[in-house]
Amino acid sequence: MFDSLRLELRRGCLILAVLAQLRDEHYGYTLRKALADEGLAIEESTLYPLLRRLETQGLLTSEWREEEKRNKRFYRLSKDGEAVLELLLAEWNGINESLHKILKHEK
Amino acid sequence: MDLLERYLQAVGQYLPTETKDDTIAELRSNLMEQIDAREEDLGRPLDFAEVATILKEHGKPEVVALRYLPQRSLIGPTVFPFYTLTLGRVLPLVVFVSLLAKGIQFAASGHESMAHALGSFALGVWYSLLISAAIITAIFATIEWSLQRGKLGTQWNEWDPAKLPAVKTHAAPDNSPKSMVKRVIDLSVHCLWFAYVLWVPWHPFWIMGPGVFYMDSLGVTLAPVWHTFYALLIVLLTVQLVMKLLAFVVAAQPWMQLMELVTDLLGVFAIGLLAMASAYFVPANALADLHRIATVNHSVNLAFRIVLVIVVAGLVKDGWQYAKRSKPMRQLAF
């Protein structure tokens, strides 16, 4: 029960975190590391397909480039992605503030 | 790196051809990066078991590949409540129509046994239910498909609150016990009826009228099935008499409706006994017209089969209403 609710809660947050993190260019592995360093660990099998989906939706752009003698796919927020991220962040802040107020009443 | 390639090959088997190479190349690059980072931490190349551990953590090939596929559902969460609502309304109707059709067929056949009729109904109704459920599923899958592609637009979700039907005023079910006067009258009438039934075998004129003399002239008499029916009728009337007496006991009130249903069932059983019989009148002497007796028996049998279908339908209706009253209907939560 808790696991499925936790998964539901995390799903939307992960998308927001990935979009925000990709304001700077990353490839899959370094993005995962960067998110983990910030305390948001994501499984590879969740993150990589998510990147593909966000790219299909036009929120990310990607390009194959050689770095350290290895071809890597770099992702970055697209123009549309930037606009959507702004809207999502406004929504997130609204929810966050409301939740804080609600939780304060409980204390 | 042989193990990594084997893993990527296994993942690739489940990926769509058009994106397979690209996805595999990206997976390879990310996994190799992970392996490199681990090797850098350890200061040596990874052995077979260590690579296997990384791949195991990454996930089972089929599961990894499935996450790259677009999310698909035959009937999505928006349409699903309407789908279950439709199934819930249509499937009981299918059972009722099948039962009715079988009943008509049974009454018309004149020679089909009750056991055979029930058996063929039980088998046939599953087939009807499966076909109906499949058709409904196909319709809703089409609706889902159309919604996903924006072919239905927003029309399907448009509605006008002003067009909602007026509130229905349901008369509250009368569960209050009958008044004392009504219960006394009920018991008295039943006692009179019981006495009449007990008295009439010795005075057949009071049930058949001049038909008694007609039967004598035709040289026919009643078949043994009437004796069994009479015994059942006495049992039924006795049970009903007990119920009429129990109606005066307050503690028995909650059970009255269920007991009425049980007596109805007994009544259906008695009618079923007559419907299953093939001879109602038998020759009393050698002068009887056998052909005419056979015709009369066939007509009476047909009449009892029709009566049986009607009383069974009534019993099903009463049973359904009793079940509905006993158990509150589940409400759909959207």
Side-chain angles (χ1 to χ4, degrees):
Chain A
M1 175 73 167
F2 168 73
D3 282 345
S4 69
L5 288 172
R6 180 175 167 269
L7 209 69
E8 213 170 308
L9 186 65
R10 268 175 64 96
R11 198 171 291 141
C13 300
L14 288 183
I15 292 175
L16 191 58
V18 167
L19 290 177
Q21 198 70 42
L22 284 174
R23 283 189 281 213
D24 296 323
E25 194 179 63
H26 281 284
Y27 60 92
Y29 180 72
T30 53
L31 173 64
R32 184 168 168 263
K33 269 194 77 178
L35 288 168
D37 289 346
E38 300 289 346
L40 198 64
I42 309 182
E43 286 177 19
E44 302 103 312
S45 56
T46 303
L47 178 64
Y48 303 152
L50 174 65
L51 291 173
R52 286 302 184 93
R53 207 170 75 236
L54 294 173
E55 191 192 12
T56 313
Q57 289 168 342
L59 303 179
L60 301 179
T61 55
S62 74
E63 66 166 329
W64 280 99
R65 214 169 53 233
E66 194 176 301
E67 192 189 79
E68 294 169 356
K69 295 180 184 175
R70 186 171 289 159
N71 264 333
K72 293 167 186 171
R73 187 179 200 135
F74 288 87
Y75 290 92
R76 168 183 282 282
L77 205 59
S78 69
K79 284 277 174 210
D80 284 350
E82 280 173 24
V84 169
L85 178 60
E86 289 310 309
L87 293 172
L88 286 177
L89 280 176
E91 189 70 26
W92 166 258
N93 287 329
I95 293 171
N96 211 14
E97 272 176 36
S98 305
L99 265 178
H100 271 299
K101 281 181 200 164
I102 293 164
L103 294 174
K104 210 183 284 173
H105 290 314
E106 278 186 1
K107 282 177 187 172
Chain B
M1 287 304 138
D2 175 54
L3 190 58
L4 175 63
E5 290 307 318
R6 281 161 58 193
Y7 179 77
L8 293 172
Q9 180 182 271
V11 174
Q13 282 177 0
Y14 302 96
L15 291 171
T17 321
E18 58 271 23
T19 55
K20 182 178 159 183
D21 291 344
D22 194 49
T23 307
I24 292 296
E26 189 180 6
L27 267 180
R28 181 184 289 111
S29 141
N30 286 328
L31 285 167
M32 283 178 80
E33 196 73 24
Q34 202 174 335
I35 291 167
D36 285 352
R38 187 84 184 112
E39 285 177 344
E40 209 172 291
D41 286 347
L42 296 172
R44 59 167 174 82
L46 296 188
D47 61 21
F48 185 90
E50 286 163 336
V51 175
T53 306
I54 289 178
L55 297 179
K56 202 167 168 61
E57 276 172 11
H58 190 262
K60 202 174 173 182
E62 299 93 305
V63 179
V64 170
L66 283 174
R67 290 195 175 167
Y68 279 94
L69 298 177
Q71 287 181 330
R72 286 175 191 151
S73 53
L74 189 63
I75 297 169
T78 315
V79 178
F80 193 75
F82 299 100
Y83 170 66
T84 51
L85 181 72
T86 309
L87 279 182
R89 294 217 169 148
V90 172
L91 295 188
L93 202 67
V94 169
V95 175
F96 180 74
V97 170
S98 303
L99 188 64
L100 197 70
K102 189 68 217 172
I104 292 167
Q105 191 194 350
F106 169 72
S109 75
H111 53 77
E112 189 179 12
S113 73
M114 176 74 106
H116 183 267
L118 284 173
S120 69
F121 167 73
L123 285 175
V125 77
W126 285 114
Y127 182 72
S128 307
L129 284 171
L130 272 175
I131 294 288
S132 308
I135 291 170
I136 294 168
T137 306
I139 291 170
F140 276 89
T142 311
I143 293 172
E144 177 69 32
W145 183 87
S146 308
L147 271 175
Q148 292 293 329
R149 282 153 186 79
K151 291 192 190 297
L152 280 184
T154 55
Q155 291 161 348
W156 74 279
N157 204 20
E158 279 173 10
W159 66 292
D160 182 359
K163 288 182 182 168
L164 288 171
V167 176
K168 287 179 192 165
T169 47
H170 293 286
D174 186 15
N175 291 328
S176 55
K178 289 177 184 171
S179 70
M180 183 58 83
V181 178
K182 273 188 183 170
R183 275 178 279 176
V184 170
I185 293 173
D186 214 14
L187 182 64
S188 311
V189 170
H190 187 78
C191 287
L192 281 173
W193 165 240
F194 203 168
Y196 168 76
V197 172
L198 288 170
W199 178 72
V200 87
W202 289 271
H203 306 86
F205 181 84
W206 289 96
I207 190 167
M208 299 178 78
V212 179
F213 308 120
Y214 184 62
M215 273 176 63
D216 286 344
S217 68
L218 285 176
V220 295
T221 187
L222 293 175
V225 67
W226 291 105
H227 300 143
T228 318
F229 173 74
Y230 183 75
L232 252 176
L233 186 63
I234 296 299
V235 172
L236 181 62
L237 289 173
T238 310
V239 172
Q240 282 178 332
L241 180 65
V242 173
M243 277 182 60
K244 306 281 175 198
L245 290 168
L246 279 174
F248 291 90
V249 182
V250 178
Q253 293 308 316
W255 299 99
M256 292 309 285
Q257 214 173 10
L258 182 64
M259 286 170 75
E260 272 172 26
L261 209 63
V262 173
T263 53
D264 286 353
L265 198 67
L266 266 174
V268 169
F269 185 69
I271 299 288
L273 181 84
L274 288 175
M276 288 305 101
S278 52
Y280 304 92
F281 302 101
V282 288
N285 53 49
L287 298 171
D289 182 346
L290 294 178
H291 179 70
R292 184 180 284 185
I293 293 172
T295 310
V296 170
N297 278 336
H298 179 74
S299 307
V300 174
N301 180 259
L302 189 63
F304 276 126
R305 280 171 179 263
I306 291 168
V307 171
L308 181 63
V309 169
I310 294 168
V311 293
V312 167
L315 187 69
V316 169
K317 183 178 149 268
D318 290 348
W320 173 254
Q321 282 176 346
Y322 175 76
K324 262 172 69 173
R325 270 199 294 273
S326 310
K327 195 170 66 176
M329 286 282 282
R330 276 184 304 150
Q331 298 295 316
L332 259 179
F334 288 96

